[in-house]
Structure formats: structure tokens, C-alpha cells
Amino acid sequence: KIDIEQSGQLSLDEIQDAMKADPKGARAVFDAMEISVESAWELFILLDTDGDRTVNLGEFVEGCLLLRGNAKASDIRLLLHESKST
């Protein structure tokens, strides 16, 4: 579990703690979603529009799933733009 507080929000600290506690397990989660850890980090930063180091857990997971494969920064920005337009 990555949302330790079960708040529905995912904090940067929670991700970092999960990566430190179980790096192989955390990487396996991103591998299962076919997204690199680096792309997941960039998605998190882009979704954190107010800079409070938290994002909605559902939006983060949905974004990761939409970015399956070899996501590039431009793909992530396009996804973010599309999510704001709807």
C-alpha cells in the first residue's frame, strides 16, 4: 500500500517512503503498469498543480495507466492538458 493514511491523496513523501522501504516491490508496481519510475515521477510533478506535494491517488493511477509503454515528457504534458480540458 502506498496511500498509508488512506486519504485518497498520494503524497510525494509516501512515494519516497515506499520506494525506500521496498524498492523492488515499488518498481514492480510501475513495471506492471508498463511505466518507468521516471515517467511516474514526472506525472506526479505535473499533477501537483498547487505545489503541495500531494495528488489524487485515482488520478495518479489513471495517468500511469494511460501512459503505458514508452511515455515521453510530451505525452505526459498532453495527458495533463487533456485532463484539464474535460
Side-chain angles (χ1 to χ4, degrees):
K1 287 190 166 191
I2 200 165
D3 182 15
I4 308 237
E5 298 172 1
Q6 297 182 349
S7 63
Q9 296 292 316
L10 182 60
S11 73
L12 190 56
D13 291 335
E14 287 174 322
I15 293 177
Q16 289 174 331
D17 290 346
M19 292 292 289
K20 287 177 187 173
D22 185 8
K24 289 183 182 178
R27 184 168 294 279
V29 169
F30 292 120
D31 286 347
M33 290 190 286
E34 299 177 25
I35 185 171
S36 71
V37 172
E38 294 78 16
S39 292
W41 278 114
E42 187 165 354
L43 176 65
F44 185 96
I45 299 302
L46 288 172
L47 288 174
D48 182 19
T49 56
D50 62 3
D52 69 353
R53 298 172 51 106
T54 62
V55 298
N56 178 280
L57 178 60
E59 289 177 355
F60 179 73
V61 172
E62 182 181 329
C64 286
L65 292 173
L66 288 172
L67 289 172
R68 286 182 177 180
N70 294 323
K72 302 209 177 1
S74 59
D75 298 325
I76 295 170
R77 287 188 198 94
L78 179 61
L79 172 67
L80 182 63
H81 176 73
E82 288 175 356
S83 70
K84 288 182 178 180
S85 296
T86 57

